[in-house]
């Protein structure tokens, strides 16, 4: 196969009737799946449904029992496992860094295995540290000296080295605390918008899947692929009861993640003769600093950042002690207030638009 | 003190002999123990399965570790006396000490080398494989360096106990600092005996310190 064919083919990876058995246990059951090039495809599903096994069959950390896996159009058994593995990055839940190597040497591992000189491998590693948002002053540290979030960034940088066009990520963010996780998720999306790699991302968290995935593959117990599609398709039309229940009760809320909030009116602060009149928004340096009532200050709820989604708008209203959401610009300066009835009206309008009806 | 001043070159020579007889078996024994231990540990489990060992590998590990421990129960004097019969050497040949002590080092180090290899995180090994290490390179570049901290603890014990066991060879006429005990006893010279004891202790302290320093350098990645 010529290089041009590879680039023309829209799919980076194809599973063709792939089955994996451990003794009598079917870990992956007749998987047929095409993973588009340059996109993030998320494998999501409850624990034990074959996500990790499917991922690891790609780089032959697990050998499949039957069927065929094509990587860039060629069976992944056509080259030796170590060569295949060097051509794709792999990020695990526990970073899996080499404790006895410095950060820069950890990132340089694969280029060094491929025979790149130590000097240019390090130069590349330092650039990658910047790419993933790590201070290069950490370069000479050892993994034991990093926080969990930093270690995961090193893991990502290491996977990006050698220009691997395919990244396999197995629950990479599930062991870090929620705040750091959000940072890492945003960072991954930012990176992807620059680099456009083919990323296969495993998670058991449907919210994470919906947030990160261009495409989502929902796995069901028994190693069965229950549905493959865009996050929106999966939330809107679950293929079966399993997917519907996995996608869960908060489906409606999640769907609002895809809707903009440009319809929601932002009321100026000065119009304080409306329902929130007994509450006063405390503002310091132009930024919200809680609500004042009866002389007491109460911490505020989540903020609606300009350009956010309808879900963010709804949350700002629901979490605010005054029942009134606070909108801020990208610098955190107060823009105005959101009323719950406006937000609800916008969700109604969104629902009508979605189903193309007027009632 | 006087005795020491008058016999300084002699004590120096005995110290050098003692040093050689302590260090060479430790090096040889360690080099022998590492492959035995690595084979006993067998194919490392991958990072996700919960079962540590298969039944077969647990048996192999147990057999190797217990056989090694058994060697250690042979009395050292008996081993020194036995060596000439086995090796065909003369009874006073230092080779007897080298071989006998190497056996003791193996007896001690196999156990700690097995522990050392088992202390290496399977996740790290697996991620090395996933990055494209081939098995042999993975052993030298990842597995062995990561086993060093645990191995080192065993090595320090082996070295110090070796230094004290070398003295036993003096009883059958093999020269070392132990010769100062036997000679001092025969000639009723307490000063000579004391020099022998202090010399052995100082040697043990210096070598142990040195090993600790080398170890700290090899495992500098551990301090957080
Ligand atoms: N090495 C193994 N040996 C035996 N069974 C395994 C092994 N790895 C995974 N399995 C089984 O295969 C199934 C799928 O596992 P896995 O792919 O890890 O699921 P997930 O990543 O979705 O949680 C599970 O039933 C699991 O117990
Ligand atoms: Mg898994």
């Amino acid at each position: 196969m010529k290089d041009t064919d590879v680039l023309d083919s829209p799919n980076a990876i194809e599973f063709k009737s792939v089955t994996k058995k451990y003794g009598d246990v079917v870990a992956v059951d007749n998987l047929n799946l095409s993973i588009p090039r340059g996109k993030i495809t998320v494998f999501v599903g409850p624990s034990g449904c074959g996500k990790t096994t499917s991922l690891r069959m790609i780089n032959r950390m697990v050998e499949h029992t039957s069927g065929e896996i094509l990587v860039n159009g060629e069976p992944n058994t056509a080259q030796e496992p170590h060569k295949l593995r060097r051509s794709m990055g792999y990020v695990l839940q526990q970073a899996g860094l080499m404790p006895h190597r410095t950060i820069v040497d950890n990132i340089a591992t694969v280029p060094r295995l491929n025979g790149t000189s130590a000097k240019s491998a390090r130069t590349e590693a330092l650039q990658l540290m910047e790419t993933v948002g790590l201070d290069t002053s950490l370069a000479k540290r050892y993994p034991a000296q990093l926080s969990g979030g930093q270690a995961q960034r090193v893991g990502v940088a290491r996977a990006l080295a050698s220009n691997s066009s395919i990244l396999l990520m197995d629950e990479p963010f599930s062991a870090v605390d929620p705040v750091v996780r959000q940072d890492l998720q945003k960072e991954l999306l930012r990176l992807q918008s620059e680099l456009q790699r083919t990323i296969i991302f495993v998670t058991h968290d449907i919210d994470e899947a919906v947030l990160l995935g261009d495409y989502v593959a929902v796995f069901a117990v028994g190693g069965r692929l229950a549905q493959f599609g865009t996050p929106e398709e999966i939330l809107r039309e679950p293929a079966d009861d399993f997917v519907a229940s996995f996608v869960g009760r908060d489906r409606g809320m999640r769907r609002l993640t895809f809707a903009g909030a440009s319809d929601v009116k932002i009321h100026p602060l000065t119009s304080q003769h409306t329902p929130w009149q007994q509450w006063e928004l405390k503002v310091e340096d132009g930024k919200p600093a809680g609500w004042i009532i009866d002389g007491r200050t109460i911490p505020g709820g989540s903020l609606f950042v300009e350009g956010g989604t309808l879900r963010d708008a709804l949350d700002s209203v629901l979490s605010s002690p005054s029942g009134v959401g606070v909108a801020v610009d990208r610098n955190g300066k107060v823009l105005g207030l959101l009323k719950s009835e406006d937000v609800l009206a916008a969700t109604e309008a969104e629902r009508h638009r979605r189903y193309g009806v007027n009632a | 003190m006087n005795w020491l001043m008058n016999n300084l070159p002699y004590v120096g020579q005995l110290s050098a002999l003692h040093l050689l007889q302590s260090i060479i078996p430790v090096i040889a024994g360690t080099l022998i123990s590492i492959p035995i231990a690595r084979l006993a540990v067998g194919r490392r489990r991958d990072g996700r399965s919960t079962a540590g060992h298969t039944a077969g590998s647990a048996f192999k590990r147990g057999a190797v570790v217990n056989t090694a421990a058994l060697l250690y129960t042979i009395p050292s004097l008996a081993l020194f006396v036995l060596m000439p019969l086995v090796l065909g050497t003369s009874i006073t040949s230092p080779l007897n000490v080298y071989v006998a002590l190497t056996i003791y080092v193996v007896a001690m180090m196999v156990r700690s080398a097995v522990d050392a290899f088992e202390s290496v995180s399977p996740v790290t090994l697996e991620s090395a494989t996933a990055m494209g290490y081939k098995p042999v390179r993975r052993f030298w570049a990842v597995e062995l360096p990561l086993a060093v901290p645990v191995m080192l603890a065993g090595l320090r014990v082996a070295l110090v106990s070796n230094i004290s066991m070398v003295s036993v060879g003096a009883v059958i006429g093999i020269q070392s600092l132990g010769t100062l005990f036997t000679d001092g006893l025969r000639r009723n010279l307490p000063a000579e005996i004391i020099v022998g004891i202090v010399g052995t202790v100082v040697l043990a302290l210096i070598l142990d310190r040195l090993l600790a320093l080398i170890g700290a350098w090899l495992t500098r990645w551990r301090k957080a």
Side-chain angles (χ1 to χ4, degrees):
Chain A
M1 178 170 276
K2 287 169 296 172
D3 280 358
T4 46
D5 293 339
V6 169
L7 295 178
D8 285 347
S9 144
N11 295 321
I13 294 162
E14 284 179 61
F15 287 88
K16 296 193 158 172
S17 309
V18 175
T19 293
K20 173 67 191 179
K21 289 185 186 161
Y22 290 105
D24 289 340
V25 179
V26 180
V28 176
D29 186 10
N30 190 28
L31 178 62
N32 285 289
L33 179 61
S34 297
I35 293 174
R37 186 180 308 285
K39 302 284 181 197
I40 302 182
T41 299
V42 180
F43 291 177
V44 69
S47 174
C49 61
K51 308 179 297 290
T52 297
T53 305
S54 301
L55 186 80
R56 290 160 59 97
M57 285 192 293
I58 297 171
N59 67 352
R60 290 178 67 190
M61 291 299 285
V62 169
E63 299 284 358
H64 49 277
T65 311
S66 63
E68 194 176 41
I69 300 170
L70 304 181
V71 174
N72 292 326
E74 300 223 27
N76 69 346
T77 48
Q79 50 180 331
E80 289 178 85
H82 68 272
K83 294 209 176 109
L84 178 77
R85 290 171 191 149
R86 286 177 201 173
S87 74
M88 39 184 97
Y90 187 50
V91 187
L92 301 94
Q93 185 177 348
Q94 311 98 316
L97 302 179
M98 313 256 192
H100 62 309
R101 301 250 176 92
T102 59
I103 302 313
V104 65
D105 286 343
N106 261 287
I107 299 172
T109 304
V110 178
R112 291 291 288 141
L113 284 173
N114 283 332
T116 309
S117 74
K119 191 158 175 260
S120 58
R122 284 205 180 148
T123 313
E124 186 194 342
L126 287 173
Q127 279 164 3
L128 281 169
M129 285 184 77
E130 283 172 11
T131 307
V132 300
L134 277 171
D135 197 325
T136 48
S137 66
L138 299 174
K140 291 284 170 208
R141 297 231 189 136
Y142 289 97
Q145 300 164 312
L146 300 187
S147 71
Q150 287 171 330
Q152 269 326 334
R153 283 174 198 260
V154 176
V156 173
R158 181 174 71 171
L160 289 170
S162 264
N163 274 323
S164 45
S165 64
I166 295 174
L167 254 66
L168 310 177
M169 308 180 86
D170 194 352
E171 310 219 7
F173 305 150
S174 58
V176 294
D177 71 69
V179 177
V180 176
R181 185 180 318 144
Q182 269 194 359
D183 272 359
L184 289 170
Q185 287 167 340
K186 274 191 205 141
E187 191 80 8
L188 182 68
L189 288 173
R190 181 189 64 76
L191 269 177
Q192 175 65 353
S193 68
E194 286 171 20
L195 303 174
Q196 278 136 33
R197 307 286 173 94
T198 304
I199 299 179
I200 299 123
F201 189 107
V202 168
T203 178
H204 56 257
D205 175 0
I206 182 71
D207 283 315
E208 186 167 61
V210 163
L211 176 72
L212 296 178
D214 294 308
Y215 297 93
V216 175
V218 184
F219 284 72
V221 273
R224 176 178 68 88
L225 176 63
Q227 190 171 5
F228 179 76
T230 64
E232 239 189 312
E233 282 164 1
I234 283 167
L235 294 179
R236 191 177 60 224
E237 285 176 54
D240 57 23
D241 289 350
F242 170 81
V243 179
S245 80
F246 183 73
V247 162
R249 261 201 285 279
D250 301 333
R251 243 174 88 192
M253 281 292 283
R254 277 193 206 101
R255 213 179 58 200
L256 295 181
T257 310
F258 300 101
S262 50
D263 293 352
V264 180
K265 185 174 191 306
I266 297 178
H267 298 267
L269 276 186
T270 45
S271 56
Q272 288 194 3
H273 38 71
T274 29
W276 56 79
Q277 61 192 173
Q278 58 275 52
W279 293 84
E280 187 195 336
L281 182 68
K282 188 172 167 192
V283 180
E284 281 172 2
D285 296 336
K287 296 182 179 179
W291 288 90
I292 301 171
I293 186 161
D294 299 337
R296 291 184 299 139
T297 304
I298 297 173
S302 67
L303 299 172
F304 174 76
V305 182
E306 172 182 39
T309 66
L310 206 44
R311 185 173 177 170
D312 299 332
L314 184 59
D315 198 61
S316 77
V317 167
L318 293 178
S319 65
S320 170
S322 64
V324 176
V326 179
V328 294
D329 67 12
R330 280 173 215 287
N331 301 317
K333 305 272 186 193
V334 177
L335 288 176
L337 302 170
L338 302 182
K339 287 166 72 174
S340 55
E341 51 269 40
D342 293 346
V343 177
L344 283 177
T347 66
E348 278 290 282
E350 190 273 341
R351 188 172 63 84
H352 292 166
R353 263 199 313 279
R354 175 178 301 273
Y355 300 109
V357 293
N358 274 321
Chain B
M1 268 298 114
N2 255 343
W3 187 90
L4 177 61
M5 288 309 150
N6 296 335
N7 295 279
L8 213 49
Y10 178 54
V11 172
Q13 191 195 350
L14 290 180
S15 299
L17 283 173
H18 201 111
L19 196 65
L20 275 182
Q21 290 173 65
S22 325
I23 290 181
I24 290 177
V26 168
I27 294 173
T30 305
L31 291 182
I32 293 169
S33 305
I34 288 175
I36 294 177
R38 185 59 191 81
L39 291 174
V41 170
R43 220 186 123 190
R44 283 304 299 273
R45 58 204 194 269
D46 77 24
R48 348 166 29 216
S49 50
T50 43
H53 304 273
T54 60
S57 81
F59 176 78
K60 188 169 60 169
R61 175 188 186 282
V64 170
V65 167
N66 291 326
T67 309
L70 214 61
L71 284 178
Y72 200 67
T73 62
I74 308 174
S76 53
L77 192 55
L79 207 53
F80 288 159
V81 178
L82 220 63
M83 276 301 126
L85 299 179
V86 180
L87 302 171
T89 45
S90 85
I91 185 102
T92 55
S93 162
L95 199 60
N96 301 334
V97 176
Y98 290 141
V99 176
L101 290 183
T102 300
I103 292 175
Y104 280 121
V105 173
V106 171
M108 278 186 272
M109 283 304 294
V110 161
R111 178 65 205 245
S112 48
V114 165
D115 289 345
F117 285 122
E118 287 182 340
S119 75
V120 179
S121 152
V123 175
T124 305
L125 292 180
E126 155 165 275
S127 95
T129 302
M131 275 186 299
Y133 273 93
K134 292 204 268 182
V136 173
R137 186 158 177 185
R138 187 183 86 164
F139 174 79
W140 291 109
V142 184
E143 195 168 3
L144 191 58
L146 290 178
V148 164
V150 175
M151 230 181 269
L152 214 65
L155 201 60
R156 285 174 69 177
V157 175
L159 182 65
V160 170
S161 78
N162 229 15
I163 289 172
S164 82
M165 265 195 292
V166 165
S167 304
V168 177
V171 175
I172 52 169
I174 300 166
Q175 300 253 298
S176 70
L177 284 174
T179 307
L180 299 178
F181 311 154
T182 50
D183 195 57
L185 221 66
R186 201 161 30 89
R187 302 199 296 167
N188 200 9
L189 273 178
E192 189 177 359
I193 299 177
I194 290 172
V195 168
I197 294 174
V198 173
T200 313
V201 170
V202 167
L203 198 64
L205 286 177
I206 292 176
L207 286 188
D208 186 57
R209 217 38 245 145
L210 209 63
L211 197 54
L213 285 176
I214 296 172
W217 186 79
L218 280 176
T219 60
R220 59 201 180 284
W221 47 272
R222 286 175 99 202
K223 338 187 245 292

